[in-house]
Amino acid sequence: MSKALDGVKILDFTHVQSGPTCTQLLAWFGADVIKVERPGIGDATREQLQDIPDVDSLYFTMLNHNKRSITLDTKTPTGIEVMWRLVKECDVLVENFAPGALDRMGLTWEAIQAANPRMILASVKGFGPGAYEDCKVYENVAQCVGGAASTTGFRTGLPMVSGAQIGDSGTGLHLALGIVTALFHRTHSGLGQRVDCAMQDSVLNLCRVKLRDQQRLERGPLREYSQFGEGIPFGDSVPRAGNDSGGGQPGRILKCKGWETDPNAYLYFITQGPVWAKICDVIGEPTWKTHPDYATPKARLPHLNEIFTRIEAWTMSKTKFEAMEVLNELHIPCGPILSMKEIAEDEALRASGTLVEVDHPTRGPYLTVGNPIKLSASPCEVTRSPLLGEHTAEILRDVLGYSDGECAAIARSGATGAVPGLAAE
Ligand code: CAO
């Protein structure tokens, strides 16, 4: 079966997490992703957080599946020549260098357009145009400047970053959507374009409900926040709301049986309006169905703390899985707090291909997250990340059409670093 992006060639100048997340997705959809790395060094994450000495880290392997790696020093004359051949040959150039680095490499938008008018140039930067456009940015910085940290955590605690990598992986996702949109546009315009995603903007996009609340706050207190029920006045910006649900259906994290010793013996419980009567029955408070303080969502808002305390008395009598079973039967929305250990052992996630075991020549088998987006006519097979420069020779020959003699000359020039077998030919 052919893949959705079969035939699309991606010139991948990405590193660390945000850019590689994007190009990995494109590779999973069938694009040929050619990752350009500095000879002898490669993507810095190959060596970061290494759990096995001298073996590509899980940080790297889990973000670079299904790609090919070419080592190329794009600051040597021969490297520059090969780089431009790649620009002419590929459909999309993706990069997340620090601001200015691409231009310093000679890859200005004007030069790229002149060399290949169909080329799409996709970039991740920390910030969009403005005072901070020249700044380097990493994940947690993006979470802070995008509004996530100020609205995450508990009201009385520090601003909090999330374990979900919304700055890096979130921006990579946004960029991937921009790229396929630009590829679609190109089918009728015939031309490439620039696709720019700033990490600050992507985080803010994921935090849009908090900007919604900022404007609601200007018209009065946020009645669904626990803080309202506690009688604590609001300030002039959206406060951290702990585990309060961000939507119109109030929810909280509640203790379940075993919480004293198990840090994840909790359940997220949502008091969805349409199933309120069932909630009252299950927790043993049938009179709350008609009681004026509890009968309607609006009446319940000032009493949420009391309501969740009562529900928690019920959830504490069950394990999180027992509670979920009872609640699911009644169509009451809820979810157990799953640890990474529990997720890693989840049979359904493995069966669906969301969790995949991959074999690696120097690491051996490891578990990774596969493609979370399932296309029925473009199934995804997750293959291991490339070793540094593993595909240098085949890319020079098969993609760029260099003869064996030319490949050897390129290798001898030092542009590719040491590539076994190449210089000798
Ligand atoms: N051949 C020769 N030189 C190469 C090369 C190659 N194949 N690949 C990269 N380089 C060079 C670049 O040209 C650049 O050189 P100059 O600065 O001298 O022009 C240099 O390597 C380093 O690039 P960088 O500045 O992007 O890397 P850094 O480690 O200093 O910064 C990061 C890393 C992530 C902070 C920065 O790239 C950045 O802010 N990127 C944009 C935002 C982003 O994506 N952040 C998320 C990262 S994941 O948390």
Side-chain angles (χ1 to χ4, degrees), residues 39-232:
I41 302 169
D43 189 324
T45 59
R46 286 187 187 266
E47 288 195 342
Q48 284 172 2
L49 312 177
Q50 266 184 355
D51 54 326
I52 306 173
D54 301 324
V55 167
D56 285 340
S57 69
L58 286 167
Y59 193 4
F60 177 83
T61 55
M62 291 178 72
L63 286 163
N64 289 285
H65 293 106
N66 297 60
K67 303 181 186 177
R68 300 201 274 175
S69 165
I70 176 173
T71 42
L72 193 66
D73 185 337
T74 57
K75 290 183 177 155
T76 63
T78 308
I80 291 169
E81 226 178 280
V82 175
M83 178 181 83
W84 282 107
R85 288 275 288 261
L86 282 164
V87 169
K88 286 180 187 149
E89 197 57 42
C90 291
D91 300 280
V92 186
L93 189 163
V94 192
E95 63 91 22
N96 66 314
F97 289 131
L102 197 69
D103 284 2
R104 287 195 291 278
M105 233 182 231
L107 292 167
T108 61
W109 175 227
E110 294 70 28
I112 291 170
Q113 270 183 309
N116 179 357
R118 288 173 60 78
M119 172 66 85
I120 290 157
L121 170 60
S123 301
V124 170
K125 296 288 165 267
F127 295 90
Y132 303 118
E133 64 188 25
D134 291 330
C135 299
K136 287 185 178 177
V137 167
Y138 281 104
E139 171 69 51
N140 288 348
V141 175
Q143 291 200 25
C144 292
V145 299
S150 72
T151 52
T152 304
F154 288 92
R155 188 178 45 79
T156 50
L158 288 177
M160 188 70 67
V161 294
S162 155
Q165 304 286 281
I166 56 176
D168 279 335
S169 291
T171 308
L173 266 166
H174 282 89
L175 192 73
L177 178 59
I179 290 169
V180 291
T181 305
L183 279 168
F184 181 72
H185 194 201
R186 198 181 71 170
T187 60
H188 37 97
S189 72
L191 293 172
Q193 60 185 299
R194 293 190 64 158
V195 179
D196 292 313
C197 274
M199 294 169 76
Q200 180 184 38
D201 303 14
S202 299
V203 171
L204 176 58
N205 184 34
L206 298 174
C207 283
R208 69 174 51 226
V209 297
K210 297 298 179 181
L211 186 60
R212 171 201 67 194
D213 288 351
Q214 179 62 38
Q215 293 169 87
R216 291 173 61 229
L217 184 59
E218 282 155 24
R219 298 206 164 81
L222 302 168
R223 297 166 66 88
E224 75 284 7
Y225 280 49
S226 322
Q227 177 172 343
F228 177 70
E230 289 158 9
I232 297 164

Side-chain angles (χ1 to χ4, degrees), residues 321-336:
F321 295 113
E322 288 165 353
M324 191 180 178
E325 214 171 302
V326 174
L327 299 171
N328 272 352
E329 277 284 299
L330 301 169
H331 306 294
I332 298 168
C334 67

Side-chain angles (χ1 to χ4, degrees), residues 240-283:
R240 293 185 270 289
N243 294 312
D244 292 354
S245 138
Q249 306 287 357
R252 301 274 173 87
I253 288 183
L254 304 178
K255 291 172 185 160
C256 291
K257 196 192 263 179
W259 67 274
E260 299 90 339
T261 51
D262 176 355
N264 295 303
Y266 294 86
L267 178 90
Y268 203 93
F269 191 109
I270 297 179
T271 55
Q272 192 205 16
V275 291
W276 176 244
K278 289 178 184 171
I279 294 171
C280 296
D281 285 336
V282 88
I283 63 171

Side-chain angles (χ1 to χ4, degrees), residues 5 10 12 14 17-31 33 35 58-67 94 169 172 176 366 368-372 380-386:
L5 294 182
I10 310 283
D12 183 6
T14 69
Q17 187 182 160
S18 63
T21 305
C22 165
T23 52
Q24 178 170 256
L25 273 171
L26 301 174
W28 280 336
F29 291 135
V33 175
K35 185 171 173 101
L58 286 167
Y59 193 4
F60 177 83
T61 55
M62 291 178 72
L63 286 163
N64 289 285
H65 293 106
N66 297 60
K67 303 181 186 177
V94 192
S169 291
Y366 65 96
T368 191
V369 186
N371 191 347
C380 173
E381 189 202 335
V382 179
T383 60
R384 69 169 174 85
S385 58

